[in-house]
Amino acid sequence: MSEAHVVTPTNTAKPVAAKPVAPKPVAANSGPLPFGTFDQLAFFAILAFALYLRLPYMTQPLVDVFSWREASTAMIAENYWQHGWNIFLPEVNWSGPGPSYQGREFGLYGYLVAILNAVFGWHDWFGRLVAIGFGLLTVFALHRLVALIWDERHAHAAALAYAVMPGAIAIESSVLPDPAMLGLITLGIWLYARAWAAGSKAYPVWAALAFTLGALSKLPGLGVGLAILWLMVLSLLRGDRTTFLRTLIAVAIGLAAIIGYYAWAIHLGRSTPPYHVAGSGYVWDHGLSAFIAEAFYAQSLWDISIWWFYGYAFLALIALGLWLPPRFAKEEPRAPGLTRLPYVWLLAAIIVYLCAAKEISTNPWNLHLFHVPLAIFAGRALILLAELGGVSFPSLAGVARFIVMGAILAALSQFQILPRLKTPQGEEARLMGQAIDRLAGPDDLVVTISPEVGDPIAVYYSRRNGWTLPPGGGASDWSTFAEDDATPIAQLNDMKSQGARWFGVTRNAEDRLDRPFLEHHAGVIAYLDQTAERVLETPEFILFRLQ
C-alpha cells in the first residue's frame, strides 16, 4: 500500500499533507553479479560444476530414451540449413518425399543448431551443445532470481540443486527445445522481478523479449506468465501504477506475438501433409472425466519422478524446503509478495500439468517447467541441513556440509538415475540408418521400423526422406502395429508408389503393446521375401531393397 508522507509546518497551525507517493523499491541484489569474493567464487564454481555434469553426454548419438523427439528436432534443424532458412517452416523427414511441414514450436533452438552446422559442418553434438548453453543460462538466471527474492546463500543452494538435478541434466544434454524455453523464461522472470524491484525507474523491455522468446520456444512456458501477473498485482497493491502499466504493455505485446505464431503453427500443421500439429493429450482433447478416471496420470508421474528425474533423495529435499520456508531477519527485510514468487511458479507448473497430464506423462521432458521452483525448494532444504545445529553458512562447517551434500546428490544423479535416461536404446536403429545411407541412392526414400515403433531415428541416420511403419502424422496412432498383415502390406505398396526403395526393421522392434514386429507381422516379412531383395542381415537388423 502507498505511504502518506506528512510535512510538519513551522509557521502555521494546520498540518499540510503532501500527495501520497509510492514507497521506495525493495533493496535487493538485482544486478548481474553484484556480490563479494566468496559469493563470486561460489557462483562460478556451481556454474562450472553444472557444465561438468552435462558434458559427458554431449557426444552421444541421438539414441537415448528421448530419441523420438530428438530425431525430429535434429531433422528440423538440418532442414533449415539444407532447404532454406525460413524459421516459420519447420520440416521433418519422416512423412514421405516432402516437404513435410509441421505445426510446432518456434524454431529458435533448431535455428541456432542449424547456424552452427552451416558454419562448422554437421555434427549431432551441436544440438546437445546448444541445449547445455541454455542450461547454463538457466543456472545463472535462477541464481540471480533467488538472490533477488530471498538472499545470496539461498541463491547458491538453488543453483547447486538445479546443477545436480537428474532431470535437468538429462534434458539439458539432449537435442530438445525445452532448455531454450526454460532458460529464456527464467531470464525473463528474473528481469521482470528486477523491474518490479526498481519501480518506475525501469522498463521491462528485455524481460518481455526474453520471456516471449521462451514461450515461443515451447508453449508450456507461457504458464509461468502467472508469476508476471503476480508481480503486476503487487505493483497495484503498493500503488505503483507506472510499473503496472509498463508491465501490462510489455506483456500484451509479447502475448500478441505468441498467439500470432501459434495460430500460424496450427494453420501450417492442419493445411500441409502430414497434417500434424505437435502435442496431444490435453484435457480439452479427452475430457476432464477421462483425466479424473486416470487420476491425472499420477502413477506415471510418480514413476518418472522416482526412476528418471529426481529420485527419493531429491524428492525428500523438495518436501523439506516446501515445509520450512525461509525467514528473514528484521535488518534484512524482504517484500512478502516477492518472496512468494517460487510458490506462484510452482502453482503455474501444476496448472500446466493438470491441463496436459496425458501429454506430459507420455513426453516427460515437458516437466522441465517444474525444475526451477523445485530446485529453489531443494536449495532451501540444503541450507536448512547445512545450518543444522546452529552452524552458519557460509562458515567453514556450513560450506563443508554444503559441498558434501552436493557431491552426494551429483553421485546419485550420475551413477543411479542418469544411466537409465542415457541408455542407447536406439543404437540398432542408428546402425540400420547408417547402413541405408551407405547403400541407398541420393534420392531413394526409405521405410524403417526402430526398436520403439514410430521412432524416426533410423530415418534420421539414413540422411534420407521416408516413413516410419506405421506411417506417422495426423491423429493416427503410429506406435501400435495393425492387427493384420494386409494393412502394413498395403501401406508399403503405397509408399513404393511414391518412391520408397528401402525397407529396414530392427530385430528388437516392438510396438507399445510389446508385440515384436518379426513375430506379429511374420506375414509381412514373408511378403517381402517374395517381392523384394533381402540385401543385408545383421544381429541388429534386416534390410530389404524394394522392387
Side-chain angles (χ1 to χ4, degrees):
M1 301 296 290
S2 61
E3 298 173 347
H5 175 62
V6 180
V7 179
T8 305
T10 56
N11 297 319
T12 177
K14 294 184 178 180
V16 179
K19 294 181 179 179
V21 297
K24 294 181 179 180
V26 177
N29 296 317
S30 59
L33 292 172
F35 37 86
T37 303
F38 170 80
D39 290 322
Q40 287 178 333
L41 178 64
F43 170 78
F44 287 113
I46 291 167
L47 200 64
F49 195 39
L51 176 62
Y52 170 77
L53 294 175
R54 286 153 176 78
L55 284 179
Y57 305 102
M58 191 173 75
T59 58
Q60 182 183 29
L62 312 187
V63 294
D64 53 51
V65 295
F66 297 152
S67 63
W68 187 318
R69 185 63 164 92
E70 287 180 304
S72 292
T73 305
M75 287 175 184
I76 291 169
E78 186 174 17
N79 285 325
Y80 283 140
W81 175 36
Q82 297 290 339
H83 300 153
W85 290 92
N86 190 336
I87 199 170
F88 297 103
L89 295 176
E91 179 184 355
V92 296
N93 299 345
W94 48 256
S95 59
S100 300
Y101 302 126
Q102 295 193 344
R104 287 184 177 267
E105 65 277 340
F106 184 64
L108 173 65
Y109 167 79
Y111 217 72
L112 294 175
V113 176
I115 291 171
L116 286 177
N117 286 301
V119 174
F120 299 106
W122 189 262
H123 299 282
D124 284 343
W125 58 268
F126 279 155
R128 298 193 193 275
L129 178 65
V130 173
I132 290 171
F134 278 112
L136 297 182
L137 174 63
T138 303
V139 175
F140 165 78
L142 167 62
H143 186 280
R144 301 318 305 146
L145 175 65
V146 178
L148 174 64
I149 63 177
W150 286 359
D151 54 34
E152 291 293 344
R153 74 189 206 282
H154 282 96
H156 299 326
L160 177 65
Y162 187 88
V164 302
M165 184 179 285
I169 297 173
I171 292 170
E172 290 169 359
S173 58
S174 299
V175 183
L176 298 171
D178 301 76
M181 176 270 292
L182 191 63
L184 291 166
I185 286 291
T186 308
L187 179 64
I189 294 299
W190 168 52
L191 293 175
Y192 269 119
R194 280 186 66 191
W196 181 90
S200 59
K201 297 179 181 179
Y203 294 82
V205 176
W206 294 110
L209 179 62
F211 185 89
T212 301
L213 286 174
L216 284 169
S217 296
K218 202 72 185 290
L219 188 57
L222 183 61
V224 188
L226 185 65
I228 304 173
L229 180 61
W230 177 254
L231 292 173
M232 293 169 66
V233 171
L234 294 180
S235 296
L236 287 179
L237 291 177
R238 73 180 184 184
D240 187 354
R241 294 184 180 180
T242 301
T243 298
F244 172 83
L245 290 174
R246 287 175 178 173
T247 305
L248 179 62
I249 292 171
V251 168
I253 294 173
L255 191 59
I258 294 167
I259 293 173
Y261 174 78
Y262 280 102
W264 159 252
I266 293 171
H267 166 75
L268 181 68
R270 290 178 177 176
S271 61
T272 59
Y275 305 105
H276 181 72
V277 178
S280 60
Y282 304 109
V283 67
W284 46 84
D285 294 327
H286 302 274
L288 180 60
S289 59
F291 274 42
I292 293 174
E294 294 289 342
F296 285 88
Y297 302 88
Q299 184 60 53
S300 177
L301 178 63
W302 176 254
D303 291 340
I304 292 168
S305 299
I306 292 299
W307 301 110
W308 280 19
F309 277 8
Y310 312 113
Y312 290 107
F314 244 106
L315 290 179
L317 286 176
I318 293 165
L320 179 61
L322 273 166
W323 187 261
L324 296 171
R327 295 179 180 178
F328 303 103
K330 291 182 179 180
E331 61 271 16
E332 296 181 355
R334 288 290 185 270
L338 197 60
T339 61
R340 298 189 183 106
L341 204 59
Y343 300 90
V344 177
W345 189 322
L346 181 60
L347 175 61
I350 291 172
I351 293 171
V352 170
Y353 176 81
L354 293 177
C355 291
K358 182 174 175 59
E359 164 74 10
I360 294 174
S361 66
T362 304
N363 301 312
W365 47 81
N366 289 296
L367 287 170
H368 202 38
L369 194 66
F370 279 85
H371 289 161
V372 163
L374 294 186
I376 294 174
F377 295 121
R380 167 60 186 156
L382 289 177
I383 292 297
L384 283 169
L385 295 176
E387 296 182 339
L388 199 64
V391 174
S392 64
F393 183 85
S395 67
L396 182 60
V399 171
R401 289 180 179 181
F402 189 74
I403 292 174
V404 168
M405 288 186 290
I408 292 172
L409 289 173
L412 290 174
S413 173
Q414 293 292 326
F415 300 115
Q416 185 181 56
I417 297 178
L418 277 170
R420 300 187 189 113
L421 293 165
K422 296 302 179 179
T423 299
Q425 66 175 33
E427 178 64 11
E428 295 84 358
R430 181 179 74 89
L431 295 174
M432 183 173 70
Q434 290 177 334
I436 295 173
D437 186 27
R438 292 191 300 269
L439 296 170
D443 298 322
D444 289 354
L445 302 182
V446 304
V447 183
T448 66
I449 307 177
S450 297
E452 185 179 359
V453 171
D455 187 345
I457 192 66
V459 176
Y460 170 70
Y461 278 106
S462 76
R463 322 309 297 179
R464 305 295 192 280
N465 277 39
W467 296 265
T468 59
L469 187 73
S476 61
D477 179 7
W478 62 93
S479 64
T480 305
F481 295 137
E483 296 301 325
D484 57 10
D485 291 330
T487 298
I489 289 173
Q491 291 169 337
L492 271 173
N493 287 330
D494 179 61
M495 295 170 188
K496 285 169 59 179
S497 70
Q498 297 182 60
R501 294 296 176 263
W502 297 87
F503 172 80
V505 57
T506 61
R507 293 186 182 274
N508 59 349
E510 294 183 345
D511 67 3
R512 65 180 180 86
L513 301 179
D514 299 325
R515 298 180 297 188
F517 179 86
L518 296 181
E519 296 178 12
H520 182 70
H521 280 316
V524 175
I525 298 297
Y527 172 78
L528 288 168
D529 280 328
Q530 295 175 359
T531 62
E533 177 187 0
R534 190 181 288 223
V535 174
L536 183 61
E537 286 189 75
T538 74
E540 293 83 19
F541 59 86
I542 305 172
L543 190 58
F544 290 88
R545 180 185 286 112
L546 302 177
Q547 305 295 333

